[in-house]
Amino acid sequence: MSATSQSPQVPARGKRADALRNQQTLVAAAASVFVTSGVEAPIREIAARAGVGIGTIYRHFPTRADLVVAVYRHQVEACAEAGPDLLASAHSPFTALRQWVDLFTDFLVTKHGLANALQSDTGGFDALHTYFLDHLVPVCAQLLDASVDSGEITPGTGPYELMRGIGNLCIGRDNDPDYDPRRLVDLLLRGLQRSR
C-alpha cells in the first residue's frame, strides 16, 4: 500500500475519536440534565449543557430513546467501575459501600423515566435490565462481602436484595419533589451496621 493511499485513513480515525468524545460529552450532559429535569427534559437544555447545537444531538442520537439508553448504559458502566475504586480508596469497606450507594441512588433517580422513554420497546427495556443486573450485582456483592468481612455490617443481606430495596425507596421521587429517598436509603444502610 502506498503512502498516498494510507493518508486518507488517518483523518477518518481522528474523526471517529472526535465523534466518540462528542458522544461522551453529550451523554454526560444528558445524564446531568436528566438528574435535575428528568428524561423528558427539552433537547435544547441538553444541547446547551453540552455546548453544542440541537442538530449535533440528533446526529448522534436520532431519538430520545437512543439518548436515554446511552445515558443508562454510561451510568451503569460508571457505577460498576466505581465500586472497586471506592473499595481501594475509602478508609473502610462500609464507607466505600455508602459512597457507591450514593452513586447508585443518583443513577436510579435518572432511571425511573426509562420505561416511558422507551415506550413500547419492552424487549429493549428487558435487555437493559439484564445489562444492569449483570454489571451492578457483582459490584454490590463485592462491597457487601468486604463490609461483612471487616465486621462493619451484619451478614445476611444479598446484593440484589439491597439494590432492590434502594430502588423501591427511590421510586417515590418521580411524583413528589419533596420526597428525598437519600434520607431513607441512609436509614437502610444504618440498619445494616453492626451495633458497636
Side-chain angles (χ1 to χ4, degrees), residues 22-31 46 50 52 56-57 60-61 67:
N22 289 342
Q23 191 169 353
Q24 290 170 341
T25 299
L26 294 175
V27 167
I46 297 165
V52 300
T56 301
I57 292 180
H60 289 279
F61 306 103
L67 180 58

Side-chain angles (χ1 to χ4, degrees), residues 1 3 56 66 73 119 126 147 191 196:
M1 193 180 275
T56 301
D66 294 332
R73 285 179 167 271
Q119 294 167 358
D126 290 344
S147 296
R196 301 218 181 243

